[in-house]
Structures are given as C-alpha cells and as structure tokens.
C-alpha cells in the first residue's frame, strides 16, 4: 500500500525541492476557491516563488461549496502538479509537489476561522475564482452571518479587517479576482460597494474600501484538466498516494492590472515572467481573444466537418495543421502588431498548446455559440486584414464559410434543430440557430446562384454581425464560392484541394 503524500514525506525526500522552512511561512493570501485553475496557476506560482525564497508566504483557502475538507487535511494540503504538454516544440512531462496551501477552511462551518485569519497583519492579498456566476449582486445582510454570495463574503471580510485594525489606511488588501469576466476587478468592486450601501455601512468604512484596498482586474490563461484518468498508475509511478493530483499544461499567463505598489505586494510574480502586472492588460486580453479564441473559432467547423474530433487530431492532420498555422501566424498575427512584440511569442505558444497530446479538447465543444463567437472574435480581424492588405484572409474566409455550413440544420427534433456530419446528427448550442435555419430553408444547394443569394442575405443581417460584411469587397463572393464548393465536394476534399494551390 502506498504511503499518503504528507509533510513528513516531502521533508524526508530532498528531491521534492521543498525546503522545510516553507511550512513555517506566514499566511499572506486568502483564496476563495479550491478549484484546479487556482491550484494549477495561482498556487503554482506561489509555490514556485517560495521554493526560490522569494515570497515566503502561504495560502489559506476558503472552500465555498459544502462538504468536508478532509481530502486536503489528510495530506497536509500538499498535492502534485504534473505539467504535461508541448513547449517550444518539445514534449514536457514533469512532476512537482505543491506546498503553498497552509490550510483549507469550509466557508459555512469555519466562517469564524476565516474572519480570524483576516486579523493576521501579513495576510494582505485576496484572490478568487468562484466562476463567472460568482461575481453577481445578491441583496443580503453580511454582518454577524455567513453571507451566501462571494461579494457578500468579501464585504464581511473587509469589514472584519477594518474593525480589527481600526480603519488603518495601510491595512487594506490587494484583491485579484480571476473569474473569466472582462474588467472583473472593477465589476467586483462595484458590487461590493453596492452591497455596502444595501447594508447601510458607515461612510468611513465605505471610504476605507475605496482608498485602502486595490481591486485589480486580471486575465488568467492555463488549461488545467485536473485529476488524470490513470491516477492510480500515476500514484504508483510517484511512489505515494495523492487524491488531489492535478495535470496542467506548460503554458500559463496571468496578467494583472495594477501599479508598482500592486507588483510589490504580489512579489511572487518575480518567480515567473509569465505572471505580470501592467497598468493596462487590454493588449493581453486582445491577443487571447484574437489569436487563441479566434483561431479556434475559425478552424473548428472546418476540422469537425472534415471528420476530426479534437484540436490535437487537427494538429496531426497535415491539412488542418497548415490551416491553423496559416490562420495564427499569417492572418491574425499581422493584424496585431500594435499590441507589442510579446504577441508573436504568444502566437507560437498557442500552436504548441494546440499540439498538446495530453489534452482532449473536443471540437464540438468549441462550437458552443459559434455564430456569436465568430462575430466577437473574427469579424474585426477580417476587417483589419482587408484594410491592411486590400485582400481577404484566405483561411479565415474558408472557416467562415464552413461555419455557415455547420449552421445548416438537417432536421428538427422535439423543437430543436440538429446538424449532420456523415451519418451522425449533432446538436446545436447557438442562440442564433433559428435565424440560420430560416436562411437555409428552401435553398437549392446545387444552384450556385441560390447559395450566393442566401450568403448575401446572411452577411447583411445586423442581428448577427457588428458590421455589414456584405459590403466588404469580394467577401460575399468568396464565401459563396467556398460554401458551394463544400456543399458539392465535402469540406475535407474541398479544403484539401484548396490548400494545395494556395
């Protein structure tokens, strides 16, 4: 029987890289959430810094969901992070033990301990990931009770801090939400202040929230699949039992909007240049939206309708690999030169991430809200590319046409539209599918003129696109040509033949 991962285990094993002093570091971070993203990104960075003697602080975690914390308690809050994937063209598979977490508290059962932790002077950072739903305004009382919402809990924590230190101006927090919401820091602050007003908090406390605390918007980017399917085999290879084991890709980015004082407080950033603090993180959000998300959206329906099922399969297919490479490096990247030189590095990292054999990213999942994502991610790229080169981006244009084909319903079952790939039907998760169904209805797919007329109507629909795509010179004709070719030849054959001559 394997021994349980424990403090005793890592102290005895010098290869763990964890200096015994790590366990005596003070608690500096209050973290709301035990999820794999926080453990694979934020806590990974804290642990990395601690091992280098930089931050010298640990994390006290608040478990927001009901249930025991025994899984953490039983192994001294230690866990394995197995970094697996492709980095600069090379496969990476390295294992490390994370010792950043000091303890885990259950938000309901241990609320008094949470408030007690806030009284520690050195605990001056708050980080959260409560999912996008977590940053919502809920009218509730927060004083003397356990608030239900995360903003409610945060307000109660701030109140406890304010009271304990008598409103001292230097005892505020740096507060960094990591939920995938644009301007998450500003949004969280607005909700907390609104909730303070609902609770009729004293003016001096509200002023303290505003002036002594810094709410920082942030952008996180790392795929953390979590517990591996072959956990027993991984434990056997490691020589210990770890029920909290997580896998994570090599890539990471954590961009935080803040000033020099924020950077100084978050000193664990010094351990990894991929964590950064900047006055404006818009360029990092934009590069993720256009390059990572945009290339996904441009290529997903081409790959799926060609018979492939995952992003990794696409990167192993010569035609689709070239498609991704061209979209990322030749069509999107040139339109983002104003974002800075880091964008080219990011673009190459994205292609490495797509080629990660350890992550099963299903194409059908990526088609969620395909039409609105095409509008949000790629329409502006098409316009920028045309303005810059006076021509259309070839592969993104093909991807757009494939999206129209993907959104051509084959049948309606139980009031829901379904598409068809080969002999298999697939479900739509697209709020605009009824609009596309109406456009496709009655179109003779072997009549090139009929297909072109339908395309012209779709591209001119202001409900779908932020700009009139039918007015972009040559775009409607190119989409109609590609779409008609795919309808007659099939997507795989058409794209393969097109790639050979372009």
């Amino acid at each position: 029987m394997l021994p349980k991962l424990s403090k005793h285990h890592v102290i005895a094993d010098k290869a763990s890289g964890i200096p015994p002093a790590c366990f005596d570091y003070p608690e500096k971070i209050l973290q709301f959430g035990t999820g794999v993203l926080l453990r694979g990104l934020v806590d990974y960075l804290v642990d990395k810094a601690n091992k280098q003697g930089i931050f010298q602080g640990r994390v006290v975690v608040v478990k927001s969901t009901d249930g025991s914390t025994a899984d953490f308690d039983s192994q001294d809050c230690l866990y394995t992070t197995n970094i697996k994937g492709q980095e600069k063209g090379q496969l990476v598979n390295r294992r490390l033990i994370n010792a950043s977490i000091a303890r885990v508290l259950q938000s309901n059962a241990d609320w008094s301990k949470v408030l007690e932790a806030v009284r520690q002077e050195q605990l001056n950072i708050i980080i959260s990931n409560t999912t996008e739903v977590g940053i919502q305004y809920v009218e509730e009382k927060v004083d003397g009770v356990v608030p239900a919402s995360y903003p409610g809990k945060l307000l109660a924590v701030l109140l406890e801090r304010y009271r304990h230190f008598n409103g001292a101006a230097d005892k505020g927090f740096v507060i960094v939400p990591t939920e995938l919401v644009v301007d998450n820091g500003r949004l969280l602050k607005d909700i907390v202040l609104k909730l303070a007003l609902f609770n009729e908090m004293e003016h001096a406390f509200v002023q303290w929230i505003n002036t002594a605390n810094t709410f920082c918007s942030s952008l996180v980017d790392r795929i953390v699949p979590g517990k591996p399917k072959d956990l027993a085999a991984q434990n056997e290879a490691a020589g210990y039992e770890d029920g909290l084991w997580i896998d994570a890709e090599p890539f990471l980015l954590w961009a935080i909007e803040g000033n020099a004082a924020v950077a100084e407080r978050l000193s664990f950033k010094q351990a990894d240049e991929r964590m950064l603090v900047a006055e404006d993180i818009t360029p990092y959000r934009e590069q993720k939206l256009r390059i990572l998300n945009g290339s996904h959206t441009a290529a997903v329906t081409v790959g799926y309708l060609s018979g492939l099922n995952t992003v990794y399969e696409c990167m192993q297919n010569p035609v689709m690999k070239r498609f991704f490479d061209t979209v990322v490096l030749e069509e999107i990247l040139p339109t983002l030169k104003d974002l800075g030189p880091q964008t080219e590095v990011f673009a190459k990292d994205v292609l490495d991430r797509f080629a990660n054999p350890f992550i099963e990213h299903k194409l059908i999942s990526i088609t969620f809200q395909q039409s609105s994502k095409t509008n949000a991610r790629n329409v502006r790229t098409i316009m920028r590319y045309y303005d810059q080169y006076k021509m259309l981006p070839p592969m993104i244009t093909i991807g757009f046409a494939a999206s129209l084909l993907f959104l051509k319903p084959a049948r309606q079952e139980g009031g829901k539209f379904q598409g068809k790939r080969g002999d298999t039907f697939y479900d739509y998760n697209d709020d605009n599918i009824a609009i596309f169904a109406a456009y496709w209805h009655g179109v003779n797919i072997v009549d090139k003129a009929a297909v072109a007329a339908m395309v012209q109507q779709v591209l001119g629909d202001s409900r779908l696109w932020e700009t009139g795509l039918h007015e972009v010179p040559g775009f409607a004709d190119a989409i109609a040509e590609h779409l008609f070719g795919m309808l007659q030849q099939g997507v795989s054959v058409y794209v393969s033949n097109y790639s050979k001559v372009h």
Side-chain angles (χ1 to χ4, degrees):
M1 185 174 178
L2 294 173
K4 192 82 169 177
L5 178 61
S6 67
K7 178 180 174 181
H8 172 76
H9 173 91
V10 299
I11 290 177
D13 181 11
K14 293 183 179 179
S16 69
I18 301 173
C22 279
F23 295 102
D24 299 321
Y25 290 156
E27 294 174 347
K28 293 186 178 182
I29 299 174
L30 182 66
Q31 174 178 297
F32 284 87
T34 58
V36 295
L37 177 64
L38 287 176
R39 290 199 286 130
L41 178 62
V42 176
D43 301 334
Y44 164 82
L45 291 165
V46 173
D47 180 70
K48 186 175 182 179
N50 283 343
K51 287 171 180 173
Q52 296 176 26
I54 294 174
F55 182 60
Q56 299 185 7
R58 301 186 82 197
V59 183
V60 54
V61 177
V62 180
K63 180 181 174 70
S64 300
T65 55
D66 289 330
S68 170
T69 61
D71 49 349
F72 286 91
D73 301 337
S74 65
Q75 51 190 67
D76 298 323
C77 296
L78 298 165
Y79 63 92
T80 306
T81 302
N82 196 16
I83 300 172
K84 303 168 68 175
Q86 184 163 297
E87 192 172 38
K88 293 180 172 53
Q90 301 296 316
L91 281 181
V92 172
N93 189 352
R94 60 179 179 269
R95 183 176 66 237
L96 58 89
I97 296 173
N98 190 305
S100 66
I101 298 177
R103 54 187 173 138
V104 177
L105 304 174
Q106 210 287 321
S107 62
N108 292 320
D110 299 323
W111 186 242
S112 62
K113 293 181 180 179
V114 174
L115 297 180
E116 183 181 315
V118 172
R119 301 174 200 140
Q120 299 176 91
E121 188 167 0
Q122 292 190 68
L123 191 144
N124 54 20
I125 300 166
I126 297 177
I127 294 168
S128 68
N129 192 293
T130 55
T131 76
E132 299 89 309
V133 180
I135 305 185
Q136 298 285 343
Y137 176 69
V138 177
E139 288 191 347
E140 59 178 337
K141 295 297 181 180
V142 304
D143 195 6
V145 298
V146 183
S149 69
Y150 168 57
K153 290 182 175 70
L154 178 56
L155 180 59
V157 161
L158 293 173
L159 182 62
E160 183 68 22
R161 183 79 165 187
Y162 173 80
R163 286 171 172 170
H164 183 74
F165 289 105
N166 299 312
D170 63 343
K171 294 300 186 290
F173 293 102
V174 166
I175 301 165
V176 190
T178 66
E179 290 82 356
L180 296 177
V181 179
V182 175
D183 292 331
N184 45 24
R186 178 195 54 77
L187 177 62
L188 180 60
K189 182 177 182 179
D190 289 347
I191 292 173
V192 167
L193 290 173
K194 185 177 179 181
L195 193 55
L197 184 64
F198 173 77
N199 278 267
E200 301 179 321
M201 300 294 192
E202 62 175 297
H203 177 72
F205 171 55
V206 175
Q207 284 294 99
W208 182 84
I209 294 175
N210 266 312
T211 59
N213 299 272
T214 305
F215 289 75
C216 304
S217 293
S218 83
L219 171 71
V220 293
D221 190 4
R222 190 177 213 182
I223 298 173
V224 185
K227 194 174 294 185
K229 295 177 181 178
D230 58 343
L231 179 60
Q234 296 296 329
N235 280 338
E236 192 69 38
Y240 55 79
E241 182 187 348
D242 179 5
L244 297 171
W245 184 302
I246 59 172
D247 287 346
E249 68 168 334
F251 177 88
L252 73 82
L253 172 68
W254 190 16
I256 300 164
E257 210 157 70
N259 54 23
V262 169
E264 183 178 359
R265 182 77 63 86
L266 303 175
S267 62
F268 56 95
K269 69 175 285 297
Q270 298 169 26
D272 198 312
E273 63 183 6
R274 299 171 298 175
M275 175 184 170
L276 52 97
V277 176
E279 293 284 352
D280 181 12
I281 62 171
T282 303
Y284 301 97
R285 185 182 298 115
E286 183 76 357
Q287 72 179 16
K288 181 186 178 186
L289 177 70
R290 303 298 170 192
I291 298 175
L292 174 64
N293 303 137
S295 62
H296 259 165
T297 298
V300 62
T301 53
V302 178
Y304 184 75
L305 294 178
S306 294
L308 303 173
N309 294 304
T310 67
V311 173
Y312 177 70
E313 286 180 16
C314 288
M315 295 301 286
Q316 300 308 299
N317 178 286
V319 173
M320 284 307 302
K321 183 181 186 306
R322 184 184 173 196
F323 190 99
F324 266 114
D325 289 348
T326 302
V327 166
V328 170
L329 300 176
E330 299 177 23
E331 297 183 7
I332 301 177
L333 183 60
T335 69
L336 300 176
K337 291 178 180 178
D338 58 320
L339 297 186
Q342 85 286 343
T343 308
E344 183 174 355
V345 176
F346 180 81
K348 292 176 180 177
D349 285 340
V350 161
L351 294 173
D352 267 341
R353 299 171 76 185
F354 290 167
N356 188 340
F358 303 110
I359 293 178
E360 186 181 65
H361 202 165
K362 293 183 178 179
L363 298 178
I364 195 65
S365 299
I366 300 173
T367 65
F368 180 81
Q369 301 296 355
Q370 176 69 11
S371 62
S372 58
K373 285 179 177 177
T374 297
N375 179 53
R377 299 171 175 180
N378 291 341
V379 167
R380 199 163 297 178
T381 297
I382 293 167
M383 303 300 291
R384 287 173 177 168
Y385 191 94
Y386 185 84
D387 289 343
Q388 196 165 323
Y389 297 107
K390 301 306 176 192
M391 60 181 290
L392 300 169
M395 296 304 171
I396 292 179
T397 304
I398 282 184
F400 195 105
S403 291
L404 296 189
L405 181 55
F406 176 82
L407 294 167
K408 176 184 179 299
R411 70 180 184 184
Q412 190 173 8
E413 287 282 320
K416 293 184 178 181
F417 293 104
Q418 289 184 313
K420 190 176 185 182
R421 182 184 72 165
D423 297 327
T424 306
F425 290 94
Y426 54 85
D427 295 324
Y428 289 111
N429 284 292
D430 196 302
D431 291 342
N432 294 319
I433 187 59
I435 297 175
F436 287 95
Y439 279 126
W440 275 107
H441 182 71
V443 174
N444 183 352
I445 63 171
V446 297
D447 182 342
K448 194 171 186 178
V451 172
M454 184 271 294
V455 167
Q456 189 75 19
Q457 290 180 310
V458 170
L459 297 185
D461 193 329
S462 60
R463 294 173 296 176
L464 300 173
W465 321 115
E466 65 181 53
T467 187
L469 289 172
H470 63 304
E471 296 178 353
V472 179
F475 190 63
D477 290 341
I479 295 298
E481 185 72 27
H482 292 321
L483 185 56
F484 188 73
M486 292 175 187
L487 284 165
Q488 309 315 309
Q489 302 174 31
V491 174
S492 179
V493 173
Y494 180 82
V495 174
S496 179
N497 289 339
Y498 183 86
S499 298
K500 289 175 183 177
V501 296
H502 290 82

